Amino acid sequence: MKQSYQNSLRARRILIYICFGILTLLSLLPFAVMLVDSTRSVVQLYSGVSLLPGSSLAHNLRVLFGYDFNLARGMFNSTFVAVISTVLSLYCSALGAYALVAYDFKGKRLVYAFVVALIMIPGQVSMIGFYQFMIQLNLLNNYIPLILPGICAPTTVFFLVEYMGTVYNKDYADSARLDGASEIKIFHSVMLPMMKPGLATMAIFGFVFSWNNFLMPLMLISDKHLYTLPMMVQTMTALGAGGKTVEWGAVYSGLSIAIAPIIIVYLILSRLIVGGGTAGGVKG
């Protein structure tokens, strides 16, 4: 009987691993196709999808940089916007989440309900109004409109509130208060380490969103020196509107370069996600 039960558990585990393996392959397939297409010529690309690498990578890179593709500038611009907006979003959202979890005040539920309601409003609804507002403030061709809105990140606040609800322990804060720590010191020394896995999770999502953000920079920025990397890649596809042949192999090469920082950030931050939620708080 016991042997039969163990065999059943083993079979279920194998089935779960198989399902996870299939889902992993399906999620990696688009990236694999993109990397392969970056090595193929235009003729090969029009012939259909293939997982076999071509021999036109060097040609595609020459074409890519021949389009006035300033990789260093694009990387710097995108990194500057993505890093600062992500850091601001995490810090301010963590402050808000800590206040909603740790303190009791009038209107607390109303504030949290307002945060949840903001998540349900599509960003496209306010896009035109935001653009007109930036014109009035004379903030076109400026990174401020791409960075400051990250301070108001209702999705991050909501996630961190839910996360803190599982790891928050009032005794840590009370002990720090007895030692004479101020509220801001408690937040920095005790609560932030406690929230590290949650912060790492939202840092990945925030960085990816900011790095891949294309529509808003396209609306606000017209100076080529301020173009982010996705905008630089898009300029190559715009050649088709002028009757020129679009070198899609070069476009895929640019896209492959553009996703490299995202993968690096994920590999760095994913180690923090698996860490214990309360370990940092105990040490603090």
Side-chain angles (χ1 to χ4, degrees), residues 13-106:
R13 191 179 296 112
I14 293 175
L15 181 61
I16 292 174
Y17 288 156
I18 292 174
C19 291
F20 283 159
I22 293 174
L23 292 175
T24 301
L25 290 176
L26 289 176
S27 63
L28 292 177
L29 183 60
F31 296 99
V33 172
M34 181 180 64
L35 291 174
V36 170
D37 286 346
S38 67
T39 67
R40 303 174 71 199
S41 64
V42 176
V43 176
Q44 291 173 331
L45 288 172
Y46 282 128
S47 65
V49 179
S50 174
L51 293 177
L52 297 177
S55 57
S56 301
L57 178 60
H59 169 75
N60 291 336
L61 290 177
R62 285 196 300 269
V63 173
L64 175 65
F65 293 104
Y67 278 131
D68 194 23
F69 184 81
N70 193 328
L71 177 60
R73 180 176 295 276
M75 281 285 189
F76 174 80
N77 293 344
S78 291
T79 302
F80 178 79
V81 174
V83 170
I84 295 182
S85 62
T86 301
V87 171
L88 285 176
S89 175
L90 290 177
Y91 183 78
C92 296
S93 299
L95 277 173
Y98 173 56
L100 289 171
V101 172
Y103 301 111
D104 291 324
F105 53 89
K106 290 183 179 180

